[in-house]
Short mmCIF file of all heavy atoms in Angstrom, two decimals:
data_model
loop_
_atom_site.label_atom_id
_atom_site.label_comp_id
_atom_site.label_asym_id
_atom_site.label_seq_id
_atom_site.Cartn_x
_atom_site.Cartn_y
_atom_site.Cartn_z
N MET A 12 2.22 34.01 9.50
CA MET A 12 2.27 34.95 8.38
C MET A 12 1.20 35.94 8.27
O MET A 12 0.02 35.49 8.30
CB MET A 12 2.43 34.16 7.10
CG MET A 12 2.71 34.91 5.85
SD MET A 12 2.90 33.64 4.67
CE MET A 12 3.49 34.46 3.28
N ALA A 13 1.42 37.24 8.22
CA ALA A 13 0.33 38.25 8.31
C ALA A 13 -0.19 38.38 6.86
O ALA A 13 0.37 38.08 5.87
CB ALA A 13 1.02 39.54 8.45
N GLU A 14 -1.54 38.41 6.79
CA GLU A 14 -2.27 38.56 5.61
C GLU A 14 -2.34 39.97 5.19
O GLU A 14 -2.61 40.93 6.02
CB GLU A 14 -3.70 38.02 5.91
CG GLU A 14 -4.48 37.71 4.56
CD GLU A 14 -5.84 37.00 4.78
OE1 GLU A 14 -5.79 36.05 5.76
OE2 GLU A 14 -6.77 37.46 4.27
N SER A 15 -2.17 40.19 3.85
CA SER A 15 -2.05 41.60 3.42
C SER A 15 -3.54 42.12 3.35
O SER A 15 -4.43 41.39 3.08
CB SER A 15 -1.45 41.63 1.92
OG SER A 15 -2.23 41.05 1.11
N VAL A 16 -3.67 43.40 3.70
CA VAL A 16 -4.87 44.08 3.59
C VAL A 16 -5.01 44.97 2.24
O VAL A 16 -4.16 45.76 2.15
CB VAL A 16 -5.18 44.93 4.83
CG1 VAL A 16 -6.43 45.73 4.76
CG2 VAL A 16 -5.05 44.13 6.23
N LEU A 17 -5.99 44.62 1.49
CA LEU A 17 -6.17 45.38 0.26
C LEU A 17 -7.41 46.41 0.42
O LEU A 17 -8.37 46.04 0.90
CB LEU A 17 -6.55 44.47 -0.86
CG LEU A 17 -5.44 43.57 -1.25
CD1 LEU A 17 -5.85 42.52 -2.33
CD2 LEU A 17 -4.13 44.17 -1.52
N VAL A 18 -7.05 47.74 0.37
CA VAL A 18 -8.13 48.78 0.51
C VAL A 18 -8.74 49.10 -0.81
O VAL A 18 -10.03 49.17 -0.92
CB VAL A 18 -7.45 49.99 1.19
CG1 VAL A 18 -8.60 51.05 1.31
CG2 VAL A 18 -6.95 49.61 2.50
N ASN A 19 -7.89 49.30 -1.89
CA ASN A 19 -8.47 49.66 -3.12
C ASN A 19 -8.42 48.65 -4.24
O ASN A 19 -8.60 48.90 -5.29
CB ASN A 19 -7.64 50.89 -3.68
CG ASN A 19 -7.69 52.06 -2.75
OD1 ASN A 19 -8.83 52.48 -2.20
ND2 ASN A 19 -6.60 52.70 -2.45
N ARG A 20 -8.27 47.38 -3.78
CA ARG A 20 -8.05 46.36 -4.76
C ARG A 20 -8.95 45.11 -4.13
O ARG A 20 -9.19 45.02 -2.99
CB ARG A 20 -6.82 45.91 -5.02
CG ARG A 20 -6.02 47.10 -5.49
CD ARG A 20 -4.57 46.67 -6.02
NE ARG A 20 -4.59 46.04 -7.35
CZ ARG A 20 -4.73 46.61 -8.42
NH1 ARG A 20 -5.10 47.87 -8.56
NH2 ARG A 20 -4.72 45.97 -9.56
N LYS A 21 -9.33 44.18 -4.99
CA LYS A 21 -10.01 42.88 -4.67
C LYS A 21 -9.16 41.76 -5.29
O LYS A 21 -8.88 41.91 -6.45
CB LYS A 21 -11.41 43.04 -5.07
CG LYS A 21 -12.25 41.83 -4.58
CD LYS A 21 -13.62 42.04 -4.79
CE LYS A 21 -14.36 41.30 -3.64
NZ LYS A 21 -15.30 42.08 -2.96
N LYS A 22 -8.98 40.86 -4.52
CA LYS A 22 -8.25 39.51 -5.01
C LYS A 22 -9.17 38.76 -5.83
O LYS A 22 -10.29 38.68 -5.58
CB LYS A 22 -7.64 38.74 -3.96
CG LYS A 22 -6.50 39.38 -3.25
CD LYS A 22 -5.93 38.33 -2.20
CE LYS A 22 -4.61 38.83 -1.59
NZ LYS A 22 -4.00 37.91 -0.79
N PHE A 23 -8.69 38.17 -6.93
CA PHE A 23 -9.39 37.15 -7.77
C PHE A 23 -8.38 36.23 -8.37
O PHE A 23 -7.25 36.58 -8.54
CB PHE A 23 -10.30 37.76 -8.72
CG PHE A 23 -9.61 38.26 -10.09
CD1 PHE A 23 -9.64 37.42 -11.14
CD2 PHE A 23 -9.01 39.47 -10.07
CE1 PHE A 23 -9.10 37.79 -12.14
CE2 PHE A 23 -8.33 39.86 -11.24
CZ PHE A 23 -8.40 39.08 -12.31
N ILE A 24 -8.87 35.04 -8.63
CA ILE A 24 -7.96 34.06 -9.24
C ILE A 24 -8.32 33.69 -10.61
O ILE A 24 -9.45 33.68 -10.95
CB ILE A 24 -7.99 32.80 -8.37
CG1 ILE A 24 -7.47 33.03 -6.94
CG2 ILE A 24 -7.16 31.58 -9.04
CD1 ILE A 24 -7.68 31.88 -5.89
N SER A 25 -7.35 33.69 -11.46
CA SER A 25 -7.62 33.32 -12.90
C SER A 25 -6.47 32.60 -13.33
O SER A 25 -5.57 32.21 -12.67
CB SER A 25 -7.80 34.55 -13.69
OG SER A 25 -8.19 34.31 -15.04
N SER A 26 -6.57 32.15 -14.70
CA SER A 26 -5.36 31.44 -15.28
C SER A 26 -5.06 32.28 -16.51
O SER A 26 -5.92 32.94 -17.17
CB SER A 26 -5.69 30.01 -15.66
OG SER A 26 -6.84 29.90 -16.43
N LEU A 27 -3.85 31.93 -17.20
CA LEU A 27 -3.39 32.60 -18.31
C LEU A 27 -2.90 31.60 -19.18
O LEU A 27 -2.17 30.73 -18.82
CB LEU A 27 -2.35 33.65 -17.93
CG LEU A 27 -1.78 34.61 -18.84
CD1 LEU A 27 -2.96 35.62 -19.23
CD2 LEU A 27 -0.67 35.36 -18.19
N ASP A 28 -3.16 31.77 -20.59
CA ASP A 28 -2.58 30.87 -21.61
C ASP A 28 -1.10 30.87 -21.46
O ASP A 28 -0.40 31.83 -21.14
CB ASP A 28 -3.05 31.51 -22.95
CG ASP A 28 -2.71 30.54 -24.14
OD1 ASP A 28 -1.60 29.97 -24.11
OD2 ASP A 28 -3.44 30.51 -24.95
N ASN A 29 -0.50 29.60 -21.49
CA ASN A 29 0.94 29.39 -21.31
C ASN A 29 1.80 30.29 -22.08
O ASN A 29 2.88 30.75 -21.71
CB ASN A 29 1.29 27.97 -21.42
CG ASN A 29 0.81 27.05 -20.47
OD1 ASN A 29 0.57 27.50 -19.30
ND2 ASN A 29 0.60 25.78 -20.72
N LYS A 30 1.35 30.57 -23.36
CA LYS A 30 2.19 31.35 -24.30
C LYS A 30 2.04 32.88 -23.97
O LYS A 30 2.96 33.55 -24.57
CB LYS A 30 1.66 31.24 -25.73
CG LYS A 30 0.40 31.53 -26.04
CD LYS A 30 -0.01 31.25 -27.51
CE LYS A 30 -1.41 31.79 -27.82
NZ LYS A 30 -2.18 30.84 -28.45
N LEU A 31 1.22 33.30 -23.13
CA LEU A 31 1.14 34.62 -22.63
C LEU A 31 2.02 34.93 -21.45
O LEU A 31 2.25 36.14 -21.19
CB LEU A 31 -0.31 34.97 -22.49
CG LEU A 31 -1.07 34.91 -23.78
CD1 LEU A 31 -2.60 35.27 -23.34
CD2 LEU A 31 -0.70 35.83 -24.83
N VAL A 32 2.32 33.95 -20.72
CA VAL A 32 2.95 34.24 -19.39
C VAL A 32 4.34 34.85 -19.53
O VAL A 32 4.60 35.90 -19.00
CB VAL A 32 2.99 32.87 -18.61
CG1 VAL A 32 3.94 33.11 -17.32
CG2 VAL A 32 1.81 32.23 -18.31
N GLU A 33 5.17 34.37 -20.34
CA GLU A 33 6.45 34.94 -20.42
C GLU A 33 6.52 36.34 -21.09
O GLU A 33 7.08 37.24 -20.48
CB GLU A 33 7.46 34.09 -21.34
CG GLU A 33 8.82 34.49 -21.29
CD GLU A 33 9.90 33.53 -21.99
OE1 GLU A 33 9.48 32.38 -22.16
OE2 GLU A 33 10.97 34.07 -22.39
N PRO A 34 5.75 36.57 -22.18
CA PRO A 34 5.76 38.00 -22.62
C PRO A 34 5.11 38.98 -21.69
O PRO A 34 5.50 40.01 -21.69
CB PRO A 34 4.70 37.86 -23.93
CG PRO A 34 4.91 36.44 -24.30
CD PRO A 34 5.03 35.71 -23.12
N PHE A 35 4.03 38.42 -20.86
CA PHE A 35 3.47 39.37 -19.78
C PHE A 35 4.45 39.70 -18.75
O PHE A 35 4.61 40.81 -18.43
CB PHE A 35 2.32 38.60 -19.28
CG PHE A 35 1.55 39.39 -18.18
CD1 PHE A 35 1.02 40.66 -18.43
CD2 PHE A 35 1.29 39.00 -17.00
CE1 PHE A 35 0.37 41.49 -17.59
CE2 PHE A 35 0.52 39.57 -16.08
CZ PHE A 35 0.04 40.95 -16.42
N ASN A 36 5.17 38.73 -18.23
CA ASN A 36 6.29 38.99 -17.35
C ASN A 36 7.36 39.88 -17.99
O ASN A 36 7.83 40.83 -17.28
CB ASN A 36 7.07 37.60 -17.00
CG ASN A 36 6.00 36.68 -16.16
OD1 ASN A 36 5.13 37.11 -15.45
ND2 ASN A 36 6.42 35.51 -16.10
N ASP A 37 7.74 39.71 -19.16
CA ASP A 37 8.75 40.50 -19.80
C ASP A 37 8.13 41.98 -19.87
O ASP A 37 9.06 42.92 -19.63
CB ASP A 37 9.10 40.02 -21.20
CG ASP A 37 9.82 38.68 -21.17
OD1 ASP A 37 10.33 38.22 -20.15
OD2 ASP A 37 9.92 38.05 -22.30
N LEU A 38 7.06 42.09 -20.27
CA LEU A 38 6.47 43.53 -20.39
C LEU A 38 6.35 44.14 -19.11
O LEU A 38 6.75 45.48 -18.98
CB LEU A 38 5.01 43.46 -20.92
CG LEU A 38 4.21 44.67 -21.01
CD1 LEU A 38 4.87 45.61 -22.08
CD2 LEU A 38 2.81 44.52 -21.41
N SER A 39 6.07 43.54 -17.98
CA SER A 39 5.98 44.16 -16.63
C SER A 39 7.41 44.52 -16.28
O SER A 39 7.73 45.62 -15.79
CB SER A 39 5.42 43.06 -15.71
OG SER A 39 5.49 43.64 -14.34
N ALA A 40 8.41 43.64 -16.60
CA ALA A 40 9.75 43.89 -16.13
C ALA A 40 10.50 44.92 -17.10
O ALA A 40 10.97 45.98 -16.49
CB ALA A 40 10.65 42.69 -16.25
N LYS A 41 10.14 45.04 -18.33
CA LYS A 41 10.65 46.09 -19.24
C LYS A 41 10.09 47.47 -18.82
O LYS A 41 10.73 48.50 -18.85
CB LYS A 41 10.35 45.85 -20.67
CG LYS A 41 10.76 46.73 -21.65
CD LYS A 41 10.32 46.49 -23.05
CE LYS A 41 11.33 45.64 -23.80
NZ LYS A 41 10.95 45.48 -25.32
N THR A 42 8.76 47.50 -18.64
CA THR A 42 8.10 48.78 -18.39
C THR A 42 8.16 49.16 -16.83
O THR A 42 7.76 50.36 -16.54
CB THR A 42 6.62 48.79 -18.75
OG1 THR A 42 5.93 47.71 -18.07
CG2 THR A 42 6.45 48.52 -20.32
N ARG A 43 8.54 48.20 -16.09
CA ARG A 43 8.52 48.41 -14.58
C ARG A 43 7.16 48.86 -14.02
O ARG A 43 6.96 49.52 -13.13
CB ARG A 43 9.58 49.51 -14.27
CG ARG A 43 11.01 49.03 -14.56
CD ARG A 43 12.15 50.07 -14.35
NE ARG A 43 11.91 50.65 -12.96
CZ ARG A 43 12.79 51.60 -12.56
NH1 ARG A 43 13.78 51.73 -13.15
NH2 ARG A 43 12.48 52.19 -11.42
N VAL A 44 6.13 48.32 -14.78
CA VAL A 44 4.74 48.46 -14.28
C VAL A 44 4.29 47.24 -13.71
O VAL A 44 4.43 46.04 -14.38
CB VAL A 44 3.84 48.81 -15.50
CG1 VAL A 44 2.39 48.86 -15.15
CG2 VAL A 44 4.26 50.17 -16.30
N PRO A 45 3.66 47.17 -12.53
CA PRO A 45 3.27 45.99 -11.90
C PRO A 45 2.21 45.21 -12.72
O PRO A 45 1.41 45.82 -13.35
CB PRO A 45 2.70 46.43 -10.52
CG PRO A 45 3.21 47.70 -10.33
CD PRO A 45 3.58 48.35 -11.61
N LYS A 46 2.32 43.93 -12.66
CA LYS A 46 1.34 43.12 -13.50
C LYS A 46 -0.09 43.39 -13.07
O LYS A 46 -0.98 43.51 -13.99
CB LYS A 46 1.67 41.60 -13.19
CG LYS A 46 2.77 41.14 -13.76
CD LYS A 46 3.05 39.69 -13.57
CE LYS A 46 4.50 39.31 -13.43
NZ LYS A 46 4.84 38.02 -13.18
N SER A 47 -0.42 43.79 -11.84
CA SER A 47 -1.75 44.14 -11.40
C SER A 47 -2.34 45.45 -12.22
O SER A 47 -3.31 45.46 -12.68
CB SER A 47 -1.90 44.32 -9.97
OG SER A 47 -1.07 45.36 -9.48
N ARG A 48 -1.40 46.37 -12.33
CA ARG A 48 -1.64 47.58 -13.14
C ARG A 48 -1.84 47.39 -14.58
O ARG A 48 -2.75 47.89 -15.19
CB ARG A 48 -0.59 48.68 -12.92
CG ARG A 48 -0.47 49.15 -11.58
CD ARG A 48 -0.92 50.62 -11.33
NE ARG A 48 -1.04 50.93 -10.04
CZ ARG A 48 -0.04 51.47 -9.35
NH1 ARG A 48 0.99 51.77 -9.96
NH2 ARG A 48 -0.25 51.87 -8.05
N LEU A 49 -1.10 46.40 -15.05
CA LEU A 49 -1.23 46.02 -16.51
C LEU A 49 -2.55 45.31 -16.80
O LEU A 49 -3.27 45.49 -17.74
CB LEU A 49 -0.02 45.15 -17.03
CG LEU A 49 1.32 45.78 -17.16
CD1 LEU A 49 2.41 44.76 -17.49
CD2 LEU A 49 1.41 46.94 -18.19
N LEU A 50 -2.89 44.38 -15.79
CA LEU A 50 -4.16 43.79 -15.90
C LEU A 50 -5.33 44.72 -15.74
O LEU A 50 -6.42 44.80 -16.53
CB LEU A 50 -4.40 42.74 -14.84
CG LEU A 50 -3.48 41.44 -15.07
CD1 LEU A 50 -3.54 40.55 -13.75
CD2 LEU A 50 -3.96 40.83 -16.30
N ASP A 51 -5.27 45.73 -14.93
CA ASP A 51 -6.34 46.96 -14.82
C ASP A 51 -6.51 47.47 -16.11
O ASP A 51 -7.66 47.72 -16.70
CB ASP A 51 -5.91 47.87 -13.78
CG ASP A 51 -6.01 47.48 -12.30
OD1 ASP A 51 -6.63 46.30 -12.01
OD2 ASP A 51 -5.48 48.14 -11.46
N GLU A 52 -5.41 47.83 -16.79
CA GLU A 52 -5.51 48.49 -18.09
C GLU A 52 -6.20 47.68 -19.19
O GLU A 52 -7.03 48.03 -19.90
CB GLU A 52 -4.03 48.91 -18.65
CG GLU A 52 -4.15 49.72 -19.88
CD GLU A 52 -2.67 50.09 -20.25
OE1 GLU A 52 -1.72 50.12 -19.46
OE2 GLU A 52 -2.54 50.34 -21.48
N ALA A 53 -5.76 46.30 -19.16
CA ALA A 53 -6.30 45.32 -20.10
C ALA A 53 -7.83 45.31 -19.94
O ALA A 53 -8.59 45.23 -20.91
CB ALA A 53 -5.62 44.10 -20.04
N ILE A 54 -8.19 45.06 -18.62
CA ILE A 54 -9.68 44.86 -18.43
C ILE A 54 -10.40 46.18 -18.69
O ILE A 54 -11.61 46.08 -19.22
CB ILE A 54 -9.87 44.56 -16.82
CG1 ILE A 54 -9.17 43.19 -16.53
CG2 ILE A 54 -11.32 44.54 -16.44
CD1 ILE A 54 -9.75 42.05 -17.30
N GLU A 55 -9.94 47.34 -18.42
CA GLU A 55 -10.51 48.56 -18.79
C GLU A 55 -10.73 48.68 -20.36
O GLU A 55 -11.78 49.06 -20.82
CB GLU A 55 -9.74 49.85 -18.36
CG GLU A 55 -9.79 50.06 -16.82
CD GLU A 55 -8.94 51.16 -16.44
OE1 GLU A 55 -8.25 51.78 -17.22
OE2 GLU A 55 -8.75 51.33 -15.17
N ASP A 56 -9.68 48.27 -21.09
CA ASP A 56 -9.76 48.30 -22.53
C ASP A 56 -10.90 47.37 -23.00
O ASP A 56 -11.67 47.60 -23.91
CB ASP A 56 -8.46 47.91 -23.25
CG ASP A 56 -7.54 48.99 -23.11
OD1 ASP A 56 -7.84 50.29 -22.74
OD2 ASP A 56 -6.31 48.86 -23.26
N LEU A 57 -11.03 46.03 -22.41
CA LEU A 57 -11.91 45.16 -22.76
C LEU A 57 -13.45 45.65 -22.52
O LEU A 57 -14.28 45.44 -23.33
CB LEU A 57 -11.71 43.77 -21.99
CG LEU A 57 -10.74 42.84 -22.66
CD1 LEU A 57 -10.44 41.71 -21.68
CD2 LEU A 57 -11.16 42.30 -23.92
N LEU A 58 -13.56 46.24 -21.32
CA LEU A 58 -14.90 46.80 -20.90
C LEU A 58 -15.35 47.88 -21.96
O LEU A 58 -16.40 48.04 -22.26
CB LEU A 58 -14.89 47.30 -19.46
CG LEU A 58 -14.78 46.20 -18.50
CD1 LEU A 58 -14.49 46.95 -17.10
CD2 LEU A 58 -15.89 45.31 -18.27
N LYS A 59 -14.35 48.78 -22.35
CA LYS A 59 -14.69 49.73 -23.23
C LYS A 59 -15.07 49.11 -24.60
O LYS A 59 -16.00 49.60 -25.24
CB LYS A 59 -13.55 50.76 -23.43
CG LYS A 59 -13.29 51.62 -22.30
CD LYS A 59 -11.99 52.52 -22.50
CE LYS A 59 -11.77 53.27 -21.32
NZ LYS A 59 -10.49 54.00 -21.39
N LYS A 60 -14.34 48.20 -24.99
CA LYS A 60 -14.59 47.55 -26.28
C LYS A 60 -15.88 46.91 -26.29
O LYS A 60 -16.71 47.00 -27.30
CB LYS A 60 -13.54 46.41 -26.47
CG LYS A 60 -13.83 45.48 -27.71
CD LYS A 60 -12.73 44.37 -27.98
CE LYS A 60 -13.12 43.46 -28.97
NZ LYS A 60 -12.21 42.36 -29.03
N TYR A 61 -16.30 46.10 -25.29
CA TYR A 61 -17.57 45.37 -25.39
C TYR A 61 -18.77 46.39 -25.08
O TYR A 61 -19.85 46.18 -25.41
CB TYR A 61 -17.59 44.22 -24.47
CG TYR A 61 -16.79 43.14 -25.00
CD1 TYR A 61 -15.42 42.94 -24.68
CD2 TYR A 61 -17.49 42.26 -25.88
CE1 TYR A 61 -14.71 41.97 -25.33
CE2 TYR A 61 -16.76 41.28 -26.53
CZ TYR A 61 -15.35 40.99 -26.22
OH TYR A 61 -14.83 40.01 -26.86
N GLU A 62 -18.46 47.50 -24.23
CA GLU A 62 -19.48 48.51 -24.05
C GLU A 62 -19.86 49.19 -25.44
O GLU A 62 -21.00 49.39 -25.78
CB GLU A 62 -19.02 49.53 -23.11
CG GLU A 62 -20.01 50.66 -22.84
CD GLU A 62 -19.47 51.61 -21.74
OE1 GLU A 62 -19.36 51.40 -20.65
OE2 GLU A 62 -19.03 52.67 -22.28
N LYS A 63 -18.90 49.40 -26.21
CA LYS A 63 -19.11 50.21 -27.46
C LYS A 63 -19.82 49.05 -28.34
O LYS A 63 -20.82 49.55 -29.06
CB LYS A 63 -17.71 50.39 -28.09
CG LYS A 63 -17.92 51.08 -29.47
CD LYS A 63 -16.63 51.61 -30.05
CE LYS A 63 -16.75 52.24 -31.39
NZ LYS A 63 -15.50 52.67 -31.93
N ARG A 64 -19.47 47.89 -28.34
CA ARG A 64 -20.06 46.91 -29.22
C ARG A 64 -21.47 46.61 -28.88
O ARG A 64 -22.44 46.61 -29.76
CB ARG A 64 -19.36 45.40 -29.10
CG ARG A 64 -19.94 44.36 -30.00
CD ARG A 64 -19.24 43.07 -29.92
NE ARG A 64 -17.88 43.22 -30.45
CZ ARG A 64 -16.91 42.33 -30.39
NH1 ARG A 64 -17.13 41.13 -29.84
NH2 ARG A 64 -15.67 42.54 -31.06
N THR A 65 -21.90 46.56 -27.61
CA THR A 65 -23.27 46.39 -27.23
C THR A 65 -24.18 47.76 -27.51
O THR A 65 -25.29 47.69 -27.79
CB THR A 65 -23.45 46.12 -25.72
OG1 THR A 65 -22.75 47.06 -24.97
CG2 THR A 65 -22.91 44.70 -25.52
N ALA A 66 -23.46 48.93 -27.44
CA ALA A 66 -24.21 50.12 -27.74
C ALA A 66 -24.57 50.28 -29.27
O ALA A 66 -25.36 50.80 -29.67
CB ALA A 66 -23.29 51.31 -27.39
N ASP A 67 -23.59 49.65 -30.00
CA ASP A 67 -23.89 49.73 -31.46
C ASP A 67 -24.84 48.57 -32.00
O ASP A 67 -25.52 48.81 -33.14
CB ASP A 67 -22.62 49.38 -32.25
CG ASP A 67 -21.43 50.38 -32.16
OD1 ASP A 67 -21.87 51.48 -31.78
OD2 ASP A 67 -20.26 50.11 -32.35
N GLN A 68 -25.29 47.76 -31.15
CA GLN A 68 -26.27 46.72 -31.55
C GLN A 68 -27.60 47.05 -31.39
O GLN A 68 -28.01 47.76 -30.59
CB GLN A 68 -26.00 45.33 -30.87
CG GLN A 68 -24.67 44.85 -31.30
CD GLN A 68 -24.39 43.45 -30.51
OE1 GLN A 68 -25.10 43.07 -29.57
NE2 GLN A 68 -23.25 42.83 -30.88
#
């Protein structure tokens, strides 16, 4: 089996709260946005949130 080559992405492993799995899958299916792109958006939002918080302190 050939291994996929990622040029603009990096693999990482995590886990997700059980109650979030189905809504996350549904959101991806409904919006037709890949889960990896949804995760990118969520992480970007978190980084902005905490960057702002540390700047205010």
Side-chain angles (χ1 to χ4, degrees):
M12 184 174 186
E14 196 170 313
S15 63
V16 177
L17 300 176
V18 177
N19 297 315
R20 304 191 73 75
K21 186 167 206 130
K22 287 186 179 186
F23 79 100
I24 298 173
S25 187
S26 61
L27 193 59
D28 188 317
N29 288 335
K30 67 181 179 228
L31 298 176
V32 174
E33 188 174 342
F35 184 54
N36 290 339
D37 292 345
L38 177 64
S39 179
K41 180 189 265 189
T42 61
R43 296 174 43 173
V44 176
K46 292 180 209 174
S47 60
R48 293 251 171 90
L49 292 173
L50 285 172
D51 287 346
E52 183 178 343
I54 298 298
E55 286 176 5
D56 289 347
L57 278 170
L58 291 171
K59 287 177 189 174
K60 173 185 173 181
Y61 283 96
E62 180 180 286
K63 181 178 180 182
R64 183 178 291 176
T65 56
D67 291 342
Q68 293 177 356

